[in-house]
Amino acid sequence: MKKLIFLIIAFSSIIGFSQTSNLNLMPWPKEITTGSEQFIIEPNFIISLNNQSTKRVEVATTKFLRRLSNKTGVFIEEGFAFESGELDNISLSISFERVGKLELNEDESYKLQISKNKISINATTDIGVVYALETLFQLVINNDNFYFFPEVIIIDSPRFAWRGLMMDVSRHFMPIDVIKRNLDALAFVKMNVFHWHLADDQGFRIESKTHPKLHELGSDGLYYTQEQIKDVVQYASDRGIRVVPEVDVPGHATAILTAYPEISSKDEIYSIERYSGIFDPTLDPTNEETYKILDDLFGEMAELFPDKYFHIGGDENEGKHWDENEEIQLFMKENNLKDNHELQTYLNIRIEKILLSYGKSLMGWEEIMTPQMPETALIHSWRGVNEGLTPGQSLVDAAQNGYKVILSNGYYIDLMQPTKDHYSVDPMPEGTNLSSLEESRILGGEATMWSELVTPLTIDSRIWPRTAAIAERFWSQKEINEVEEMYKRLEVINNTLEQIGLTHIKNKAGILRNISNYQSIEVLDELSKISEPFKIYSRNSGGTEYKTYSPFTLFADACTADAIDAHRFNNLIANYVSTGDIETKNEIMVFLKSWGRIYAELSSLSQNAPLILRILPYSGRVSELSNLLYSGMEKNELLKKEFDEIQKLLNAKEEASLNLDVELAVINSLNVLAEFLKKN
Amino acid sequence: MKKLIFLIIAFSSIIGFSQTSNLNLMPWPKEITTGSEQFIIEPNFIISLNNQSTKRVEVATTKFLRRLSNKTGVFIEEGFAFESGELDNISLSISFERVGKLELNEDESYKLQISKNKISINATTDIGVVYALETLFQLVINNDNFYFFPEVIIIDSPRFAWRGLMMDVSRHFMPIDVIKRNLDALAFVKMNVFHWHLADDQGFRIESKTHPKLHELGSDGLYYTQEQIKDVVQYASDRGIRVVPEVDVPGHATAILTAYPEISSKDEIYSIERYSGIFDPTLDPTNEETYKILDDLFGEMAELFPDKYFHIGGDENEGKHWDENEEIQLFMKENNLKDNHELQTYLNIRIEKILLSYGKSLMGWEEIMTPQMPETALIHSWRGVNEGLTPGQSLVDAAQNGYKVILSNGYYIDLMQPTKDHYSVDPMPEGTNLSSLEESRILGGEATMWSELVTPLTIDSRIWPRTAAIAERFWSQKEINEVEEMYKRLEVINNTLEQIGLTHIKNKAGILRNISNYQSIEVLDELSKISEPFKIYSRNSGGTEYKTYSPFTLFADACTADAIDAHRFNNLIANYVSTGDIETKNEIMVFLKSWGRIYAELSSLSQNAPLILRILPYSGRVSELSNLLYSGMEKNELLKKEFDEIQKLLNAKEEASLNLDVELAVINSLNVLAEFLKKN
């Protein structure tokens, strides 16, 4: 905890702090000072507002009281906040000055003070109150007798103004309850933008009253009605969250063209895409009907989405159908458009005018940043190593070219990378020569949840808990970056996320029960704790394996990034090979012994569970490796023959995990251990 | 399985059947014949419709394909049914004649035939197709290698036309996703009525456009918009389910009077009720404004709910405020209304006319059945032993008095009784002299889920799986009534209910994690398997303990009726004391030994989990009893001192479970075992 205490010193001018090691706040606040008193949570807990309430504060205080009661089991007498400061025995008094506006750079700050008998929240806006209550709930801790709030003074405000999550509801539709529980979680970690990716090749998800074929033919019946969208926008607003809609054009538009093939760039029959990947269907930028439909649609959407920004996608258009279309080629020539980039910019500029007529500002993925693109556009930087480019280069370019910009490269949570990979990416690039004006154009970032491989059953486990660490990167000071400390807090935050309604923990057990055909899931669970789904794009490589309606109820879907026992085991191995500590050795052997029995137990279960059959080869490798290494540890050496056998098993991964789509997350540590025992 | 096979003989005229013991159908079909072939579920599974599709069939086939794929892990190539019978290699061909109407006595029959390479469904209506697909999904079984459908011929139709679940969304509001997943489950067990109890003292849950204060002031913001109601009605219709709305009047009306005190019977300030019980606030039947508001409201609702029937409650009005109101007394005198029953009937008859003007028929709880009540009303029989009356008497009375009637007495699932208690109640009474005309007036029944003690987190575990057995009582032949056979099938159905989206299993684990403060839940889970929540009205006795916003995240909320290990243990004890079988003895001792350690382990966990403290006294009693009986079994006798100590512990239950609201479901068996060992 040394590092953490150092950080507190670094960011707090107040002295007298102590014991922060049991606080599991995420994002970590700007300034925190702790004392030694406890505010005990009891039935007479009363919330009072020192000025009139707002819808936002009413929702936040009621939600806070329910959560507090549900978590602690305390039968709190008063179920709602009082809109008066005149009461006796007030537990929590809340003051704020005004209703917060959902716009960039609104005041989101708050001060939270807890003493033995009294808690106070002070904020400029009711959005600050929402965040203060989230912090307060995160502060609930316990001793052996009761739950309490620790004495603390917190002064807090965000580092970046744009702290978002993008959710793709096209590739897999997400019902309203999925959206709402994730909005709750966003507020919980002080994120303030929900970027709703509503239309792509695999589905158009908005009810359109002007062009109803869009949802009727483009969605398989899976779309949001306008009433539902309004409800979500209000729900988000109550939590201080802006909603930025995205309709991806001119590429990623198969669903739109399924409804309106007359605005396509190629005369063919379109149908909703069932696979993942990059496809050719593209809107025709030379067709006036294209703009007519978009104008009508964006006009409807402008009424539904009050936010200033409107995301038009613009990514991954390769323009193949433009090249093939003679009329489009003629149009380009006549209009002096040199290449497809310029044609797309022509479209973007026309769309920007449409959006402007509805009072909206255009934003788009980084491909829209062409020389002709006006500086009023907001650039969404996303490409990097996976696309053969320098990560974050477009971010720097955009800031230097005068654009406002946000970063998503490094925050692609669909790629199933460990939390630390995302946590180490800062939206503010280092080692560049950005001026402070240029730096001020970098507004923040967004985690991106692309949904090729997730369903309502699994999406929470892909977004959470990793996005909490990304939220900390966006909210907290840059120097809050110690990885193991983050993981320690994240483990508790992960549990609290379940307490506020997320399904990531419980749905995993459900998937394992299905796999085991409702026999015991203990061994499957154990195996899942050292197994991680294939990362980057390797699970869906080639874009041909999974369809949108393939089963995502497989072992890989139960596994998550940062497999928990792998994390522990890898630390043990690192410690053991450097210290030879005997207690560490014993802990390692407990793991190996337990893993050694997995194969036999799964074999037995597989007699009545066909889905376990697919896991047997992989589990066999795990158990064989574990047994060999266990016996090696017992005798403190590995014979050449044994070592070679281990190497063979370690290298057999491609074959053994074929079609299982998971990798063994302790494989490097097992290799290190083998090398260590070989040397002995 | 002898009994079961006997039943099949009884209801099937087809010969050649075999092996039904592995079929876990519920409700059990009318006729079933099985063969020995297997239809293996493979990627090339194709559904074809022999005539045009309907929305209902489209939804049902798509849902079926997803469920099949998710359960079996098979990557089914085609995600949707084909609307043509011309394809090669059809796996499942579906034929029906017409769209089913959502009205009483519609044809719900179907025939399902599975052979080695071909499945066919034939039905008169598309509702029959929905049921056939539910049966087909329940038929999925497996060997050690794959999932398959067994060869079978099923000819099926219901015994009763009205097979319902009532859900109270007033005492605890249930969001749309809760409603929808329960509608899925209703279809899964072939129930066809969702009775939506929308207004009571604790909340008015419908958006009213004519009288918006109803939802604005009467719901804490927790209500269904008219769009959401339309969506639910459509969702139900797609599953062959009628939606019958209820607005409870003139009693149970505190929420209405919170919005419109001017139509109350007493001049006072009303506010939404937070407790459970029977309260005095009552509409004023002598006030014309009362009928004006109800007319407007019912007019709105008549448009939202297409069903013929409209439930007006009418229960538990004690008329105290009528007695106290001089003007009302005067009105009664002037109108020759002798008592409160006649005054209520005056109201009911006026309401019936209002409903009739909107094309609706009135139904109400049995209290509406007064001599003046027209025979057009449908009577909902509910009272019995708990109300000091003969169970089902009102059912017989209603049928004899010329009313159509449905039964809920015996199906009060909120009372947490074991499944067998409900399973043994038949809607058709025995030992009465009802004529066949009178019998024909008994339409069926409804399970009732009153929500004083349930929340969205726990409601599934209160409705399911018990309602599946009630559904069987309503659908299947009367003679399908063997209790242990029912429990055996119910265990599998319980798991399948999770596979189709119910949360009863996974949410239990979530509650236990919260109690354990995210330490291990193994021991808590073990204890929960022999603990049942207080039954009948003892948990909420006096109506003063729980408020609507009390925490329902306690140990009692994790426990369910029919505690699973208790069921097993009780059977073991019954067997042991009659046979003395040594293997049974060993199984008993395994249970006792394990329970004996619960207290110590919970004590240890309680060091970091304040909520476990409340469970310690109870668990201490369980462990002490178990240890005493274990040692008694070891030495095959109990000393007088030990026996007395056991008796003391068995009788200490009131004290030990105080505030925990659970009872030890093996207590009788422990007593039997003690007596048995004492005799030895």
Side-chain angles (χ1 to χ4, degrees):
Chain A
M1 289 314 307
K2 267 183 199 160
K3 179 67 174 273
L4 185 59
I5 287 170
F6 167 77
L7 293 172
I8 295 153
I9 297 170
F11 294 106
S12 169
S13 56
I14 306 163
I15 52 166
F17 56 84
S18 64
Q19 59 172 74
T20 57
S21 67
N22 58 348
L23 302 185
N24 293 291
L25 297 169
M26 189 170 285
W28 192 256
K30 196 168 183 182
E31 294 182 24
I32 179 166
T33 318
T34 65
S36 57
E37 296 286 357
Q38 300 171 337
F39 182 105
I40 303 173
I41 297 155
E42 288 181 326
N44 62 359
F45 191 89
I46 287 178
I47 301 180
S48 169
L49 310 176
N50 287 343
N51 42 11
Q52 66 164 19
S53 188
T54 65
K55 173 91 188 300
R56 204 170 267 153
V57 169
E58 190 187 317
V59 168
T61 50
T62 305
K63 192 176 66 172
F64 174 79
L65 285 167
R66 299 296 175 278
R67 285 180 178 175
L68 192 62
S69 179
N70 287 340
K71 180 185 174 102
T72 63
V74 173
F75 282 62
I76 296 172
E77 285 292 324
E78 297 296 341
F80 304 89
F82 288 91
E83 294 183 26
S84 148
E86 305 304 309
L87 300 160
D88 290 337
N89 304 319
I90 295 169
S91 313
L92 165 59
S93 66
I94 296 175
S95 293
F96 62 97
E97 292 167 21
R98 61 176 174 80
V99 175
K101 295 190 191 119
L102 288 179
E103 58 187 32
L104 271 177
N105 298 312
E106 174 57 296
D107 189 321
E108 300 174 302
S109 69
Y110 67 91
K111 181 178 178 183
L112 169 65
Q113 195 155 0
I114 303 173
S115 62
K116 189 178 174 182
N117 298 308
K118 182 102 179 103
I119 304 171
S120 68
I121 287 172
N122 286 276
T124 306
T125 67
D126 56 359
I127 297 174
V129 174
V130 169
Y131 290 145
L133 287 167
E134 298 288 0
T135 299
L136 187 57
F137 185 64
Q138 288 192 1
L139 281 168
V140 175
I141 50 177
N142 65 284
N143 57 24
D144 58 352
N145 238 331
F146 51 76
Y147 283 96
F148 64 93
F149 300 110
E151 186 179 15
V152 76
I153 300 171
I154 288 175
I155 297 171
D156 204 6
S157 61
R159 181 170 166 230
F160 290 102
W162 191 300
R163 307 179 305 278
L165 169 73
M166 187 220 73
M167 192 191 288
D168 169 10
V169 297
S170 173
R171 292 181 175 84
H172 279 98
F173 181 69
M174 299 293 155
I176 295 295
D177 57 308
V178 176
I179 307 294
K180 286 189 173 177
R181 70 184 185 232
N182 277 285
L183 288 169
D184 280 330
L186 290 182
F188 178 68
V189 296
K190 302 184 175 65
M191 279 185 146
N192 64 359
V193 177
F194 176 60
H195 168 179
W196 207 353
H197 185 83
L198 286 157
D200 210 304
D201 296 304
Q202 295 79 1
F204 183 92
R205 306 300 184 190
I206 316 150
E207 176 193 25
S208 170
K209 297 195 174 174
T210 60
H211 297 280
K213 280 200 280 181
L214 284 169
H215 66 272
E216 287 168 4
L217 301 180
S219 77
D220 300 311
L222 300 172
Y223 62 90
Y224 308 105
T225 65
Q226 297 205 351
E227 290 295 323
Q228 287 175 322
I229 289 172
K230 285 181 203 162
D231 182 37
V232 165
V233 168
Q234 180 64 51
Y235 194 90
S237 169
D238 292 343
R239 285 148 185 80
I241 297 169
R242 300 164 43 212
V243 180
V244 175
E246 177 183 353
V247 172
D248 206 340
V249 291
H252 287 289
T254 309
I256 293 174
L257 298 179
T258 301
Y260 293 97
E262 53 267 41
I263 60 169
S264 71
S265 301
K266 184 172 182 178
D267 186 18
E268 61 180 18
I269 294 167
Y270 293 86
S271 60
I272 297 172
E273 184 56 54
R274 304 299 177 194
Y275 288 108
S276 304
I278 301 174
F279 304 98
D280 297 327
T282 316
L283 301 193
D284 180 357
T286 72
N287 184 343
E288 284 306 310
E289 186 62 18
T290 300
Y291 300 102
K292 171 75 178 65
I293 289 176
L294 293 182
D295 195 333
D296 293 341
L297 175 65
F298 292 175
E300 286 184 87
M301 292 179 68
E303 298 225 345
L304 295 174
F305 296 97
D307 201 72
K308 183 187 164 196
Y309 287 95
F310 193 105
H311 204 303
I312 62 146
D315 55 318
E316 298 184 321
N317 169 34
E318 297 176 352
K320 193 174 151 228
H321 287 185
W322 293 350
D323 297 337
E324 295 170 5
N325 183 318
E326 285 179 22
E327 285 179 48
I328 291 176
Q329 292 303 313
L330 190 64
F331 180 92
M332 287 170 70
K333 202 165 290 178
E334 286 172 357
N335 288 271
N336 203 21
L337 299 167
K338 285 197 298 291
D339 56 22
N340 288 340
H341 291 300
E342 293 198 1
L343 180 57
Q344 187 165 345
T345 305
Y346 167 84
L347 169 105
N348 290 341
I349 290 172
R350 289 200 57 175
I351 289 177
E352 189 181 39
K353 290 206 180 94
I354 293 171
L355 290 175
L356 201 62
S357 76
Y358 297 114
K360 304 296 179 190
S361 293
L362 179 148
M363 71 180 285
W365 301 102
E366 64 181 64
E367 288 96 321
I368 69 164
M369 186 171 56
T370 52
Q372 295 79 17
M373 196 67 203
E375 286 171 15
T376 46
L378 193 152
I379 306 301
H380 196 160
S381 172
W382 72 277
R383 291 184 296 187
V385 173
N386 297 325
E387 294 74 29
L389 298 169
T390 307
Q393 184 60 50
S394 62
L395 181 89
V396 175
D397 292 346
Q400 286 175 335
N401 293 341
Y403 299 98
K404 289 200 175 95
V405 61
I406 62 169
L407 181 66
S408 276
N409 183 270
Y411 308 126
Y412 267 48
I413 50 178
D414 60 312
L415 302 186
M416 302 309 291
Q417 293 171 270
T419 309
K420 64 177 160 51
D421 289 11
H422 305 302
Y423 194 61
S424 68
V425 177
D426 198 287
M428 195 58 71
E430 283 198 1
T432 60
N433 297 324
L434 292 181
S435 69
S436 59
L437 174 65
E438 287 163 349
E439 283 191 348
S440 74
R441 294 182 185 130
I442 297 174
L443 303 180
E446 283 185 6
T448 50
M449 183 70 255
W450 300 105
S451 64
E452 285 90 345
L453 301 171
V454 299
T455 67
L457 189 72
T458 58
I459 190 168
D460 292 6
S461 74
R462 274 52 188 143
I463 301 177
W464 308 103
R466 291 178 299 152
T467 296
I470 296 173
E472 176 158 289
R473 181 59 45 244
F474 296 159
W475 177 281
S476 305
Q477 297 304 296
K478 185 175 183 169
E479 293 76 7
I480 303 290
N481 61 7
E482 213 277 299
V483 168
E484 281 306 314
E485 165 59 27
M486 173 275 289
Y487 272 119
K488 189 188 95 18
R489 285 179 289 130
L490 194 65
E491 199 169 328
V492 177
I493 288 293
N494 187 49
N495 298 335
T496 317
L497 282 163
E498 172 167 60
Q499 290 172 323
I500 68 166
L502 276 285
T503 64
H504 55 312
I505 299 175
K506 59 190 182 183
N507 283 0
K508 173 184 176 165
I511 295 171
L512 295 181
R513 279 191 288 272
N514 189 62
I515 292 170
S516 77
N517 204 11
Y518 285 83
Q519 303 173 96
S520 165
I521 62 168
E522 194 191 331
V523 188
L524 278 173
D525 190 43
E526 189 175 354
L527 185 62
S528 76
K529 288 176 179 168
I530 50 172
S531 305
E532 294 175 355
F534 277 172
K535 296 178 179 59
I536 320 291
Y537 294 106
S538 53
R539 184 169 178 191
N540 213 15
S541 59
T544 52
E545 197 179 1
Y546 287 88
K547 290 184 175 179
T548 51
Y549 47 74
S550 294
F552 292 96
T553 50
L554 307 177
F555 187 63
D557 302 298
C559 297
T560 62
D562 291 317
I564 184 103
D565 283 351
H567 189 87
R568 289 173 190 150
F569 185 81
N570 294 340
N571 285 344
L572 288 174
I573 293 290
N575 181 28
Y576 178 57
V577 298
S578 71
T579 67
D581 177 55
I582 188 74
E583 219 167 283
T584 308
K585 180 180 177 182
N586 289 338
E587 287 184 62
I588 291 168
M589 288 180 73
V590 168
F591 271 119
L592 293 174
K593 182 159 197 182
S594 194
W595 298 339
R597 77 188 213 295
I598 289 178
Y599 175 73
E601 298 205 12
L602 285 182
S603 293
S604 163
L605 291 172
S606 74
Q607 295 300 308
N608 186 29
L611 282 173
I612 289 183
L613 289 175
R614 299 187 197 174
I615 307 170
L616 287 185
Y618 171 72
S619 66
R621 188 163 65 95
V622 171
S623 288
E624 271 189 79
L625 277 165
S626 302
N627 289 334
L628 281 164
L629 284 161
Y630 182 85
S631 83
M633 289 188 88
E634 271 191 320
K635 56 188 192 201
N636 253 327
E637 66 168 349
L638 279 175
L639 303 178
K640 168 99 175 53
K641 202 183 87 182
E642 294 165 331
F643 181 81
D644 290 347
E645 177 62 20
I646 287 169
Q647 291 306 313
K648 209 177 107 194
L649 287 164
L650 288 172
N651 293 324
K653 59 185 172 180
E654 297 292 343
E655 186 189 357
S657 58
L658 200 67
N659 290 326
L660 192 60
D661 289 1
V662 299
E663 60 191 28
L664 185 59
V666 294
I667 202 153
N668 291 336
S669 291
L670 296 180
N671 193 27
V672 167
L673 181 61
E675 294 283 354
F676 180 80
L677 291 171
K678 184 191 169 198
K679 274 182 229 155
N680 271 8
Chain B
M1 289 315 307
K2 268 184 197 158
K3 181 68 176 273
L4 185 59
I5 287 170
F6 167 77
L7 293 171
I8 295 155
I9 297 171
F11 294 105
S12 170
S13 57
I14 305 164
I15 52 165
F17 56 85
S18 64
Q19 62 174 72
T20 58
S21 66
N22 57 349
L23 302 185
N24 293 291
L25 297 169
M26 189 170 285
W28 192 256
K30 197 169 183 182
E31 295 182 23
I32 178 166
T33 318
T34 64
S36 56
E37 295 286 356
Q38 300 170 339
F39 182 105
I40 303 172
I41 297 155
E42 288 181 327
N44 62 357
F45 191 89
I46 288 178
I47 302 180
S48 170
L49 311 175
N50 287 343
N51 41 12
Q52 66 164 19
S53 187
T54 67
K55 172 92 186 301
R56 204 170 268 153
V57 169
E58 189 186 319
V59 168
T61 49
T62 305
K63 193 175 66 171
F64 174 79
L65 285 167
R66 299 297 174 278
R67 286 179 178 175
L68 192 62
S69 178
N70 287 340
K71 181 186 174 102
T72 63
V74 173
F75 283 63
I76 296 172
E77 286 292 325
E78 296 297 341
F80 304 89
F82 288 90
E83 294 182 26
S84 149
E86 304 305 307
L87 300 159
D88 289 338
N89 304 319
I90 295 167
S91 313
L92 164 59
S93 66
I94 296 175
S95 293
F96 61 98
E97 291 168 21
R98 61 177 174 81
V99 175
K101 295 189 192 117
L102 289 178
E103 58 186 33
L104 273 177
N105 298 312
E106 174 57 293
D107 190 321
E108 300 174 301
S109 69
Y110 66 91
K111 181 176 179 185
L112 169 64
Q113 195 154 0
I114 303 173
S115 62
K116 189 179 173 182
N117 299 308
K118 181 101 178 105
I119 305 171
S120 67
I121 287 173
N122 286 278
T124 306
T125 68
D126 55 359
I127 297 173
V129 173
V130 169
Y131 290 145
L133 286 166
E134 298 288 359
T135 300
L136 185 58
F137 185 64
Q138 289 191 1
L139 282 169
V140 175
I141 51 178
N142 64 285
N143 57 24
D144 57 352
N145 238 331
F146 50 77
Y147 284 97
F148 64 94
F149 300 109
E151 185 179 16
V152 75
I153 301 170
I154 288 175
I155 297 170
D156 204 6
S157 61
R159 181 170 166 229
F160 290 102
W162 191 299
R163 306 178 306 277
L165 170 72
M166 187 219 73
M167 191 190 289
D168 169 11
V169 297
S170 173
R171 292 181 175 85
H172 279 98
F173 182 69
M174 299 295 154
I176 295 295
D177 57 308
V178 176
I179 307 294
K180 286 189 173 176
R181 69 184 185 232
N182 277 284
L183 287 170
D184 280 330
L186 290 182
F188 177 68
V189 296
K190 302 184 176 64
M191 279 185 144
N192 65 358
V193 177
F194 176 61
H195 168 179
W196 207 353
H197 185 83
L198 286 158
D200 210 303
D201 296 303
Q202 294 80 1
F204 184 92
R205 307 298 184 193
I206 316 150
E207 177 193 25
S208 170
K209 298 197 173 171
T210 60
H211 297 280
K213 280 202 281 182
L214 284 169
H215 67 271
E216 287 169 5
L217 302 179
S219 77
D220 300 311
L222 300 171
Y223 62 90
Y224 307 104
T225 64
Q226 297 204 350
E227 290 296 322
Q228 288 175 322
I229 290 171
K230 284 180 205 162
D231 182 37
V232 165
V233 168
Q234 180 64 51
Y235 195 90
S237 169
D238 291 342
R239 284 148 185 81
I241 297 170
R242 300 163 43 211
V243 180
V244 175
E246 177 183 353
V247 172
D248 206 342
V249 292
H252 288 289
T254 309
I256 293 174
L257 298 179
T258 300
Y260 293 98
E262 54 268 39
I263 60 169
S264 71
S265 301
K266 185 173 183 178
D267 184 18
E268 62 180 16
I269 294 167
Y270 293 85
S271 60
I272 296 173
E273 184 57 53
R274 304 299 177 193
Y275 289 107
S276 304
I278 301 174
F279 304 98
D280 296 329
T282 316
L283 301 192
D284 181 355
T286 73
N287 184 341
E288 283 306 310
E289 186 63 17
T290 300
Y291 301 102
K292 171 74 178 64
I293 289 176
L294 292 182
D295 195 332
D296 293 341
L297 174 65
F298 292 175
E300 286 184 86
M301 292 178 67
E303 298 228 343
L304 295 174
F305 297 97
D307 201 73
K308 182 186 165 196
Y309 286 96
F310 193 105
H311 204 303
I312 62 147
D315 55 317
E316 297 184 321
N317 169 34
E318 297 176 351
K320 193 173 152 228
H321 286 185
W322 292 351
D323 297 337
E324 295 169 7
N325 184 319
E326 285 178 22
E327 285 178 51
I328 291 176
Q329 292 303 312
L330 190 63
F331 180 92
M332 288 170 70
K333 202 164 289 175
E334 286 172 359
N335 287 272
N336 203 22
L337 300 167
K338 285 197 299 289
D339 55 22
N340 289 339
H341 291 302
E342 293 198 2
L343 180 57
Q344 187 165 346
T345 305
Y346 167 82
L347 169 106
N348 289 343
I349 290 172
R350 290 200 56 176
I351 289 177
E352 191 183 37
K353 289 205 180 92
I354 292 171
L355 291 175
L356 201 60
S357 77
Y358 297 113
K360 303 296 179 188
S361 293
L362 179 148
M363 70 180 285
W365 302 102
E366 63 180 67
E367 288 96 321
I368 69 165
M369 185 172 55
T370 51
Q372 296 78 21
M373 196 67 203
E375 287 172 13
T376 45
L378 192 152
I379 306 302
H380 195 160
S381 172
W382 71 277
R383 291 185 296 187
V385 173
N386 297 325
E387 294 74 30
L389 298 169
T390 307
Q393 184 59 50
S394 62
L395 181 89
V396 175
D397 293 347
Q400 285 175 333
N401 293 339
Y403 298 98
K404 288 201 175 92
V405 60
I406 62 168
L407 180 66
S408 275
N409 183 270
Y411 307 126
Y412 267 47
I413 49 177
D414 60 311
L415 302 186
M416 302 309 291
Q417 294 170 272
T419 309
K420 63 178 161 53
D421 289 12
H422 305 302
Y423 194 62
S424 67
V425 177
D426 198 287
M428 195 58 70
E430 283 199 358
T432 60
N433 297 324
L434 292 182
S435 67
S436 58
L437 173 65
E438 287 163 349
E439 283 190 348
S440 74
R441 295 183 184 129
I442 298 174
L443 304 180
E446 283 185 6
T448 51
M449 182 70 256
W450 300 104
S451 64
E452 286 89 343
L453 301 170
V454 299
T455 68
L457 190 72
T458 58
I459 190 167
D460 292 5
S461 74
R462 275 51 189 145
I463 301 177
W464 308 104
R466 290 178 301 153
T467 297
I470 296 173
E472 176 158 289
R473 182 57 46 245
F474 296 159
W475 176 281
S476 304
Q477 297 304 296
K478 186 174 182 170
E479 293 76 7
I480 303 290
N481 60 7
E482 213 277 298
V483 168
E484 282 304 315
E485 164 59 26
M486 174 275 290
Y487 273 119
K488 188 189 97 17
R489 284 180 288 130
L490 193 64
E491 202 171 325
V492 176
I493 288 293
N494 188 48
N495 298 334
T496 316
L497 282 163
E498 172 166 64
Q499 291 172 325
I500 68 165
L502 277 284
T503 64
H504 55 312
I505 299 175
K506 60 189 181 183
N507 282 0
K508 173 183 176 167
I511 294 171
L512 296 180
R513 279 191 288 272
N514 189 62
I515 292 171
S516 77
N517 204 11
Y518 285 83
Q519 302 173 97
S520 165
I521 62 169
E522 192 192 334
V523 188
L524 279 172
D525 190 41
E526 188 175 356
L527 185 62
S528 76
K529 288 177 180 167
I530 51 172
S531 305
E532 293 175 356
F534 278 172
K535 295 178 180 59
I536 319 292
Y537 294 107
S538 53
R539 183 167 179 190
N540 213 15
S541 58
T544 52
E545 197 180 1
Y546 287 88
K547 290 184 173 178
T548 49
Y549 46 75
S550 295
F552 293 96
T553 50
L554 306 177
F555 186 63
D557 302 298
C559 297
T560 62
D562 292 315
I564 184 103
D565 282 351
H567 190 88
R568 287 171 190 152
F569 185 80
N570 294 339
N571 285 344
L572 287 173
I573 293 290
N575 181 29
Y576 178 57
V577 299
S578 72
T579 67
D581 177 55
I582 188 73
E583 218 167 284
T584 308
K585 181 181 176 180
N586 290 339
E587 287 185 62
I588 291 168
M589 289 180 73
V590 169
F591 271 120
L592 292 174
K593 182 158 197 182
S594 193
W595 298 339
R597 80 191 210 292
I598 288 179
Y599 174 73
E601 297 204 13
L602 286 182
S603 293
S604 163
L605 292 172
S606 76
Q607 297 300 308
N608 187 29
L611 282 174
I612 289 183
L613 290 175
R614 299 187 196 172
I615 307 171
L616 286 185
Y618 170 73
S619 68
R621 189 163 67 94
V622 171
S623 286
E624 271 189 78
L625 277 166
S626 301
N627 288 332
L628 281 165
L629 285 162
Y630 183 85
S631 83
M633 288 190 87
E634 271 192 321
K635 58 190 189 197
N636 252 326
E637 67 169 346
L638 279 176
L639 302 178
K640 169 103 175 52
K641 203 183 85 181
E642 295 165 332
F643 181 81
D644 290 346
E645 177 61 21
I646 288 170
Q647 291 305 314
K648 210 177 106 192
L649 288 164
L650 288 172
N651 293 324
K653 59 184 171 181
E654 297 292 343
E655 188 188 357
S657 59
L658 200 67
N659 289 325
L660 192 60
D661 289 0
V662 299
E663 60 190 30
L664 185 59
V666 293
I667 202 154
N668 291 335
S669 290
L670 295 180
N671 193 28
V672 166
L673 181 60
E675 295 282 355
F676 180 80
L677 291 170
K678 183 190 170 200
K679 273 184 226 152
N680 272 9

